Amino acid sequence: MRTDAWHARIDCGRDVGAGFLISARQVLTCAHVVRGSEAAEVTVRFPNRADLGAVPASVAVRGGWRGGAADPGDLAVLELAREVPLAPAEFAPPGAEARGAELVAYGFPRGYDEGMVASYRALPGPLIAGEWVQLEALTGHGQPLAGGFSGAAVTLADGTVVGMVTSVAGAADTRVGRMLPTEVMARHWYGLGELVPTDGHRPELRRRLYGLVRRARRAGLPHRPEQLYVEAVGEFGPPVPQGGFGSLERMAAYVQWEVADPQAVPRLAGLLERLLAPEPARPAPAPAPATASASASAPAPVWAPIVVEIEHSGAGPDQVTVEVFAYRDGHRRPVGAGRLPRGGVRAYVQERVDEAFTQLAPDADELLAFVLPRDLLNEPVARWARGADDPTPLGCAYPLVVADRSRHRSGGLRHQLTRKWRHLDADPGTAPHRIACDTPERPPGLRKRLRDDAVGMVAYSSAPGAAGPHFEVGLHAPVPVLLWPRSGCPGPGHPGDCAGGAFLDLLAASVRDVPPAALPRHLLALRETAAADDDPDGHWAHDVQLLWDDPRCFPEPRACDHSPVA
């Protein structure tokens, strides 16, 4: 007969329960067994190794149990004060208890300090409240699951663990009880994912995955668990669960236990390995020619846009429709859409933009793009707070641009803008064409000038309303970049010095060596500099607006190659 030394007796004040060793210093038990641990000492004894004596322990993890008999998460992980020289328990595959086999639990009812064994079976059918398996005695006699069995491992005949006793018999019925099956235990504590065998996941793969998760946590990997999850399960995998994950460990456990694709775990492990790998040393770049700027020779970022598209709904002057989506691998992935009053747009955008980041590749260069109707192009979206609890302006948190909705959807302009970008990629050293409030240039002449391939950027001294027809010409011309101050010069004919002229001078100096493709990140740095200034509202760049339009970053949704009806 087998003698499994990993069975444990748990004492916490007057409470007595069972547990089982899962590593040299960790024991699993029920949270209710050690509910008095803040006031009483917790000790662990191993009845089949009495020579080890009472080992002090502390509660390292609680599974979320709130104190009620029907509350979920009645699980606790105890940390022993010292390692014990015992082989830990081994786990059976999830669901092994459902085959009708005899199940055994080792507990410590009153009067039996050395322990007693109870024999039960698991009833087939669904989990009770998504949490418990019901146990019933195999015979009408024998040891019931009385007090002292809480936390006991429920094992098959070969000694492998299929669950843990959480609810023991009462006076009304001494022949029934409940257990947490291993898959539910793993939901409440991610550490079991490494120990419990799951379909298609070899032991070495599980150890590799959770070892990488621990390394990622220690390294402070900046990527959100939701981003890594989307990468692991692929475009057509299950969506991120409501509320997200909260930690890398919970996300890894969810991929292991809840995602049917057997390749999801290897993909996640491979992704973590790539993100944790040290970057190879790069050779020093050759000196740039004297005629080329350092920034012009730097590679332009490959943007991964998150798009917030706002349009008047037609349901009333206060109503707008908002759609949020993210681009990944050339595909547009919807995140959310709705009709809202104008006053509700900021809160909606905060939530959906945060959610949209889960759709981006973990190493992507994010770009936040607001596609707006023409009368809202001067909206201070760069000053909107990043979140309800985070006042950081969006424009100081991410590269942020705006785009005109009509222009953004014009097939002819998209074609011409794409051609203009090819020219700018080959020769990025463009200076902004200046439109001051007193410009003598008439709109028709400006339209002709802006068709020149060499003009990739237009800077205005005034906001769109004051710039008037000159701004309209810029919107209708194939110029990828328009810049202006949201406030400033009121337009032609004003008295005194022109603040817009000073803005144009400082802007031209700031963007002189910046390729147009890199302007969104340059504007992020400018906004951060302005916000950190002693007089933020007096800084020349405090309210600069950037219209930046590269159709290659915003591909149109692909049409079906064949009729779905056919």
Side-chain angles (χ1 to χ4, degrees):
M1 180 178 263
R2 253 189 7 266
T3 302
D4 293 322
W6 45 259
H7 290 291
R9 172 191 169 106
I10 314 296
D11 288 271
C12 179
R14 294 185 176 182
D15 292 320
V16 175
F20 51 105
L21 190 74
I22 57 171
S23 74
R25 288 191 64 174
Q26 289 177 312
V27 171
L28 272 182
T29 188
C30 287
H32 77 259
V33 170
V34 291
R35 57 189 153 196
S37 60
E38 293 184 2
E41 182 184 15
V42 179
T43 59
V44 178
R45 290 179 171 86
F46 298 93
N48 291 315
R49 283 292 305 271
D51 58 301
L52 295 176
V55 182
S58 59
V59 180
V61 176
R62 297 183 190 270
W65 181 71
R66 295 180 179 273
D71 286 341
D74 190 2
L75 171 148
V77 182
L78 306 184
E79 185 81 18
L80 301 178
R82 66 175 187 271
E83 292 189 0
V84 292
L86 303 175
E90 295 183 5
F91 289 84
E97 75 279 356
R99 300 167 189 163
E102 178 183 13
L103 303 177
V104 174
Y106 191 140
F108 302 88
R110 185 182 299 274
Y112 294 93
D113 291 351
E114 72 283 6
M116 288 286 284
V117 174
S119 178
Y120 278 67
R121 73 182 182 94
L123 259 64
L127 294 176
I128 298 172
E131 184 84 358
W132 299 282
V133 169
Q134 183 169 323
L135 301 175
E136 288 195 353
L138 283 175
T139 66
H141 55 275
Q143 174 63 50
L145 291 178
F149 274 88
S150 291
V154 180
T155 67
L156 298 172
D158 63 1
T160 55
V161 177
V162 295
M164 180 176 70
V165 177
T166 58
S167 177
V168 297
D173 190 348
T174 61
R175 314 309 305 169
V176 297
R178 290 179 180 178
M179 78 168 186
L180 282 182
T182 52
E183 63 269 27
V184 175
M185 295 166 67
R187 186 197 310 157
H188 295 301
W189 182 52
Y190 69 87
L192 283 178
E194 189 171 353
L195 304 175
V196 180
T198 46
D199 287 343
H201 306 140
R202 301 182 310 277
E204 56 269 26
L205 175 60
R206 299 197 306 271
R207 288 193 294 270
R208 173 182 164 219
L209 173 63
Y210 286 94
L212 287 164
V213 167
R214 288 189 288 272
R215 279 182 56 199
R217 187 179 65 244
R218 290 194 299 268
L221 201 67
H223 306 88
R224 295 179 54 181
E226 293 79 10
Q227 281 182 285
L228 302 176
Y229 172 80
V230 171
E231 181 84 358
V233 303
E235 182 177 0
F236 302 106
V240 174
Q242 186 72 26
F245 298 108
S247 71
L248 282 173
E249 293 85 354
R250 288 185 181 277
M251 181 272 295
Y254 191 90
V255 172
Q256 178 187 356
W257 291 90
E258 305 293 341
V259 177
D261 182 359
Q263 295 305 309
V265 167
R267 279 197 296 268
L268 177 58
L271 173 62
L272 289 171
E273 280 183 336
R274 292 195 300 274
L275 294 174
L276 290 167
E279 292 190 10
R282 297 180 179 178
T291 57
S293 68
S295 58
S297 63
V302 178
W303 297 112
I306 293 172
V307 175
V308 179
E309 188 161 344
I310 300 175
E311 175 62 310
H312 299 295
S313 72
D318 186 49
Q319 299 291 312
V320 294
T321 58
V322 183
E323 184 179 5
V324 180
F325 47 87
Y327 281 97
R328 178 166 176 163
D329 301 328
H331 296 279
R332 190 166 76 175
R333 298 187 176 192
V335 176
R339 188 173 73 189
L340 304 164
R342 288 278 297 272
V345 171
R346 292 193 189 191
Y348 183 84
V349 167
Q350 288 169 350
E351 293 178 4
R352 293 299 177 268
V353 165
D354 205 46
E355 184 181 343
F357 273 90
T358 66
Q359 301 297 323
L360 302 186
D363 54 351
D365 279 323
E366 73 278 2
L367 174 70
L368 185 54
F370 281 81
V371 180
L372 305 171
R374 194 151 300 177
D375 61 320
L376 296 182
L377 277 178
N378 209 40
E379 188 74 15
V381 290
R383 292 195 161 197
W384 290 5
R386 179 161 61 175
D389 300 320
D390 183 354
T392 306
L394 283 173
C396 292
Y398 314 116
L400 183 150
V401 302
V402 300
D404 176 74
R405 191 171 183 272
S406 297
R407 165 185 164 115
H408 193 72
R409 294 190 167 192
S410 167
L413 268 176
R414 287 174 64 87
H415 176 80
Q416 292 175 322
L417 284 167
T418 300
R419 187 171 60 207
K420 180 70 73 76
W421 272 108
R422 292 195 189 102
H423 177 84
L424 294 175
D425 289 343
D427 183 17
T430 183
H433 181 73
R434 298 163 57 114
I435 306 292
C437 64
D438 59 351
T439 179
E441 196 167 25
R442 295 173 56 248
L446 176 62
R447 181 168 54 246
K448 182 176 184 298
R449 180 188 293 273
L450 296 187
R451 291 194 177 278
D452 190 328
D453 282 345
V455 181
M457 197 183 319
V458 177
Y460 294 88
S461 65
S462 309
H470 290 85
F471 190 84
E472 290 289 325
V473 167
L475 285 178
H476 295 141
V479 178
V481 179
L482 306 181
L483 293 136
W484 67 89
R486 290 189 48 258
S487 56
C489 175
H494 62 80
D497 295 334
C498 181
F503 169 84
L504 291 177
D505 292 339
L506 292 166
L507 178 67
S510 175
V511 303
R512 179 181 298 121
D513 295 329
V514 181
L519 275 173
R521 192 163 296 284
H522 181 72
L523 263 290
L524 168 64
L526 268 183
R527 291 177 180 129
E528 289 183 301
T529 300
D533 194 78
D534 292 338
D535 179 18
D537 289 339
H539 193 280
W540 70 270
H542 80 282
D543 65 352
V544 63
Q545 196 87 317
L546 168 63
L547 186 149
W548 186 94
D549 206 350
D550 185 349
R552 299 171 301 179
C553 288
F554 309 101
E556 290 290 323
R558 298 176 182 175
C560 294
D561 291 334
H562 305 284
S563 166
V565 177

